[in-house]
Amino acid sequence: MRVLIAAMVVLAVAGTAAHAADPRYPDWPCTQAKVPDISLAAVWAGPALDNAESKWKDDAKVSALVSKLAARKTPLDEAEKSVKEFLAGSASDKSTNAKLLFAGLFDTLNAQRSQVMSGLERVSRKQREAADKIRDETIQLQTLQGATPRDDTKVEALSNQLIWETRIFEDRRKVVRFVCEVPTTIDQRLFALGRVIQQELE
């Protein structure tokens, strides 16, 4: 009986999630609205980036710094300090370096964000398939439990399978809820670092 209740809870959760999804993005599992790309205008009010968007990778120093600043394991205050140190040490080329650095961050963090979002949608599709499977097996289990004569071996085997599948579904759901915060964290990081770069140019 407990197996059936757990399975029904999973199906109720899956149904709620499917109902709440933005119809434009049927695989998007988060309560946060899906914004596919960060707009440059939303995070950068500095000088035009010109060809910095295609040139930043050619500068080894900028590329190395972009990798460090974009990594979520680098604390934001440490990243902001590194931006200030880098731009303070390049007075003559400050404007060029600032534009290259921001272009690199914009490019890299946008790509990171897209990767996370694609992963979330991939997991969402798996969850939908898992919910369908749990639904079918729940019906099978109810049929087996009501059969005469009842095959207890089959009932136990399917019950154990449902317990396992329900647990996996729930674990994935918890991970998704946590990962749903990541695109917003990336947005905030890009905005904060962009602001520091612009302040250094003033």
Side-chain angles (χ1 to χ4, degrees):
M1 188 66 184
R2 267 186 316 193
V3 178
L4 285 174
I5 291 167
M8 294 298 186
V9 168
V10 162
L11 297 175
V13 167
T16 306
H19 181 69
D22 184 329
R24 293 172 301 166
Y25 309 112
D27 295 328
W28 182 244
C30 307
T31 53
Q32 299 90 330
K34 181 182 178 182
V35 181
D37 295 295
I38 308 171
S39 128
L40 182 62
V43 288
W44 181 251
L49 296 180
D50 303 321
N51 63 354
E53 291 173 85
S54 56
K55 295 283 184 188
W56 70 270
K57 284 181 186 170
D58 301 335
D59 189 311
K61 222 173 175 181
V62 169
S63 291
L65 185 56
V66 163
S67 295
K68 179 189 168 187
L69 301 180
R72 289 194 294 282
K73 65 182 179 185
T74 305
L76 189 55
D77 55 350
E78 187 187 313
E80 290 175 344
K81 190 179 168 204
S82 296
V83 167
K84 289 174 185 174
E85 285 169 358
F86 173 68
L87 293 177
S90 61
S92 58
D93 305 315
K94 187 181 262 193
S95 177
T96 302
N97 283 333
K99 289 194 277 187
L100 288 170
L101 184 58
F102 184 76
L105 283 168
F106 184 75
D107 201 10
T108 305
L109 288 171
N110 236 335
Q112 267 186 25
R113 196 173 170 278
S114 295
Q115 214 172 17
V116 169
M117 291 169 104
S118 296
L120 280 165
E121 290 183 321
R122 205 162 43 244
V123 172
S124 174
R125 287 191 289 274
K126 276 188 183 171
Q127 286 291 78
R128 199 178 299 131
E129 287 165 14
D132 289 344
K133 193 164 186 275
I134 288 168
R135 186 179 292 109
D136 291 344
E137 288 172 357
T138 301
I139 294 165
Q140 283 175 40
L141 182 60
Q142 286 171 324
T143 304
L144 285 172
Q145 285 173 329
T148 309
R150 174 171 152 149
D151 188 332
D152 286 332
T153 306
K154 279 186 180 175
V155 167
E156 189 181 351
L158 191 52
S159 293
N160 289 337
Q161 190 173 315
L162 263 171
I163 288 167
W164 179 246
E165 287 169 357
T166 302
R167 190 176 297 154
I168 290 170
F169 185 95
E170 278 299 308
D171 287 347
R172 272 202 204 129
R173 192 169 69 90
K174 285 172 191 163
V175 170
V176 164
R177 208 163 42 196
F178 170 74
V179 178
C180 278
E181 301 294 334
V182 175
T184 304
T185 306
I186 293 172
D187 292 352
Q188 289 166 347
R189 188 177 195 85
L190 181 58
F191 180 78
L193 293 175
R195 187 176 53 202
V196 173
I197 294 169
Q198 288 169 83
Q199 284 168 352
E200 291 302 299
L201 283 175
E202 287 168 5

